[in-house]
Amino acid sequence: MNIKTIELKIKGMTCDNCAATIEKQLTVAGVVSKKASFKKHNAIVSFNPDEIAGEQIIRLVNDTGHYEVEGFQEIKPAIDDKPHLVIIGGGSAAFAATIQAHELGARVTMINEGLPVGGTCVNVGCVPSKTLIRAAEELHQSNTPKFPGIVKQGKLQSFKEVIEEKRKMVKALQQEKYISVVAEMDNFALIKGRARIASPKSVFVNGETIAADAILVATGASPKIPPIPGLDEIDYLTNETAYELEDLPERLIVLGGNYIGLENAQMFARFGSKVTVVELLPQILPTESPELAEELQKFLSAEGIEFLTNARTSRVYREGDEIVLEMNIEGKERKLRGTHLLVATGRKANTGELGLQEIGAELTQQGFLKVDEYLQSNVEGIYGAGDVIGGFMFVYTAAYEGKIAVLNALSQVKQKVDYSALPWVIFTDPQLAGVGADEKQAAELGIDAEAAVLPLSYVPRSIAAKDTRGFIKLIRNKQTDELVGARILAAE
Ligand SMILES: Cc1cc2nc3c(=O)[nH]c(=O)nc-3n(C[C@H](O)[C@H](O)[C@H](O)COP(=O)(O)OP(=O)(O)OC[C@H]3O[C@@H](n4cnc5c(N)ncnc54)[C@H](O)[C@@H]3O)c2cc1C
């Protein structure tokens, strides 16, 4: 339908009643909307020219006998050829996408709710964990001098102050790396609200429907809580609450032996908590080769962390000041008691109640948004980036995907995502870094591979630093002699 809008200049109106009379007079078939104003001596009328002509509208006003149209003009809709990108989510993927869309000259509306602006990384992920890990490392190193002539001197005087400092760091980085980046951006709007996709071209938020040329789903992921009987009845910790504790846990149980569990286990242990890591599978870091996992576990155990692998927790409950985990370890029943429980058993996509399935968008079995290599879902115009699409869940992949998704959605560039040489790091001490496949993953990919391992006890830099924990491992495709991956377990 081609709707026209005209402004009529009207003589004779003296009050609101006159305006109301004119509006009533214009309540006829073909007029879509009308707004008369006695102060402005005008009426703005939108109509369908197939049903009523402009002259007829003028005649209707003049026919009142009291008012007279002195002139009129057509109001053309504002010419705005900027495409409108609506981003659901306000984390790293969303911000990288916003910067890219701004560079392409698009209008952006970002809708965020749940975590504060900046999302997981700055508020409850990378930033708080890494600053606390470093604080704990400082304490640990000052109590484990490796060189003669240096004495132990570290003491945790106030855990609360450490947490206070972390809060300041989070606030400062949230401001500097997120809020300030968009503060002065034109054609940008940030809406606080829970968004729901209403159609492939519109999003519903705070009672309003916003039209979009493209929609980017960047809603991230949240802690995945296993269905262990009793767990939902106790006050357990996750990464969203653990970094806010002002008193150090006395005995901490960490459920989950992957990277989030391990980084936190060591951090709390170094501050002084007695930590036990409980892992369901036969080894920690289940996707890596057993030797690597064993080696890292050896160093963490040496710092006093207890590990229970093959441990299936069947029930959790509170008994007085303690949390009790009933578990079965290789056929034997065991009870584990702690003062706190940190659940770090994986991440689940924030796709619930987003309206994705209602518009036909496909999710994976685990509930992540399914996207193709251009990051588009099966619904045209709806893209995904960051943790919500699963795969590699890092801050830098979220930012990379946000940028690629926008290029594909709003420009002629059609770029595939490429993760072939993606590095990652686990911030334990020693740290574990990797790129490409290790022997186990190479075998799963059908690659005939072998590894060359250099222990750090052979590396002069490590010898000089008096820290020879770890090794460097290069994995080679035996058929092509190509490097398929590398792993480094090292303090620095
Ligand atoms: C403990 C921890 C430590 C980590 N450490 C590292 C690290 O050292 N290095 C690294 O690279 N990565 C790290 N990560 C991973 C990294 O934080 C994430 O990969 C990254 O932050 C994901 O960004 P995102 O934009 O996809 O999602 P998020 O940052 O989670 O943003 C999504 C936002 O969308 C909001 N939202 C959800 N649903 C809706 C809705 N319907 N409407 C409106 N808003 C909605 C959410 O509340 C959130 O604010 C860590 C993660 C954790 C949990």
Side-chain angles (χ1 to χ4, degrees), residues 88-94 111-122 124-126 129-130 193-196 218-221 239 243 259-260 263-264 347 350 352-354 385-388 393-398 425 427:
I88 310 180
S92 312
I111 307 168
N112 184 65
E113 197 174 72
L115 294 175
V117 169
T120 301
C121 184
V122 72
V124 293
C126 336
S129 66
K130 263 80 256 183
R194 189 147 291 273
R196 186 180 167 81
T219 48
N239 67 292
Y243 308 133
Y259 91 92
I260 294 177
E263 288 183 358
N264 282 291
R347 312 271 300 155
N350 293 333
E353 295 173 24
L354 251 188
D387 285 3
V388 74
M393 289 162 70
F394 302 114
V395 63
Y396 47 93
T397 42
V425 184
F427 293 96

Side-chain angles (χ1 to χ4, degrees), residues 108-111 185 187-191:
V108 176
T109 301
M110 183 191 286
I111 307 168
M185 225 179 233
N187 293 311
F188 173 82
L190 175 63
I191 298 176

Side-chain angles (χ1 to χ4, degrees), residues 177-414:
K177 301 290 177 195
Y178 294 89
I179 297 170
S180 300
V181 171
V182 293
E184 302 290 310
M185 225 179 233
D186 50 5
N187 293 311
F188 173 82
L190 175 63
I191 298 176
K192 182 168 166 28
R194 189 147 291 273
R196 186 180 167 81
I197 299 176
S199 77
K201 294 278 176 208
S202 62
V203 173
F204 188 70
V205 61
N206 300 342
E208 264 185 64
T209 304
I210 301 175
D213 294 297
I215 296 171
L216 178 66
V217 180
T219 48
S222 323
K224 186 160 110 191
I225 308 302
I228 299 173
L231 191 53
D232 53 1
E233 284 156 39
I234 65 154
D235 213 8
Y236 58 81
L237 300 165
T238 67
N239 67 292
E240 294 184 2
T241 47
Y243 308 133
E244 277 299 301
L245 290 175
E246 292 190 344
D247 295 313
L248 186 67
E250 190 188 316
R251 280 166 293 136
L252 175 69
I253 301 169
V254 177
L255 201 58
N258 219 326
Y259 91 92
I260 294 177
L262 297 178
E263 288 183 358
N264 282 291
Q266 189 177 36
M267 182 266 282
F268 279 109
R270 285 182 162 188
F271 277 127
S273 300
K274 170 82 191 89
V275 178
T276 307
V277 176
V278 178
E279 170 57 54
L280 174 70
L281 295 171
Q283 68 170 71
I284 58 165
L285 300 178
T287 53
E288 292 297 311
S289 66
E291 302 77 34
L292 188 65
E294 273 164 30
E295 194 72 0
L296 178 60
Q297 184 173 326
K298 186 179 88 188
F299 297 126
L300 297 178
S301 300
E303 291 188 18
I305 300 170
E306 188 189 359
F307 286 88
L308 301 174
T309 48
N310 273 319
R312 178 172 292 279
T313 307
S314 52
R315 193 159 84 94
V316 181
Y317 55 91
R318 185 167 274 288
E319 204 171 73
D321 287 346
E322 290 186 320
I323 291 172
V324 185
L325 265 67
E326 283 182 359
M327 58 182 74
N328 183 298
I329 304 174
E330 291 165 6
K332 290 203 186 87
E333 299 301 324
R334 172 168 177 181
K335 275 187 189 176
L336 178 66
R337 293 169 184 275
T339 53
H340 294 72
L341 172 66
L342 171 65
V343 179
T345 43
R347 312 271 300 155
K348 73 167 184 348
N350 293 333
T351 45
E353 295 173 24
L354 251 188
L356 282 164
Q357 277 154 310
E358 287 82 343
I359 56 144
E362 280 179 42
L363 304 182
T364 66
Q365 258 187 350
Q366 293 82 32
F368 292 95
L369 175 63
K370 242 191 207 177
V371 289
D372 61 18
E373 49 201 347
Y374 298 96
L375 299 177
Q376 187 168 216
S377 72
N378 62 315
V379 177
E380 204 187 326
I382 298 201
Y383 288 76
D387 285 3
V388 74
I389 62 168
F392 298 101
M393 289 162 70
F394 302 114
V395 63
Y396 47 93
T397 42
Y400 167 71
E401 289 158 359
K403 183 182 157 133
I404 301 275
V406 167
L407 280 174
N408 290 335
L410 301 181
S411 78
Q412 297 310 311
V413 176
K414 297 293 165 224

Side-chain angles (χ1 to χ4, degrees), residues 288 292 392 394 396 422-426 432-436 441 486-487:
E288 292 297 311
L292 188 65
F392 298 101
F394 302 114
Y396 47 93
L422 186 81
W424 49 263
V425 184
I426 297 176
L432 175 59
V435 65
Q441 294 154 353
R487 297 290 181 271

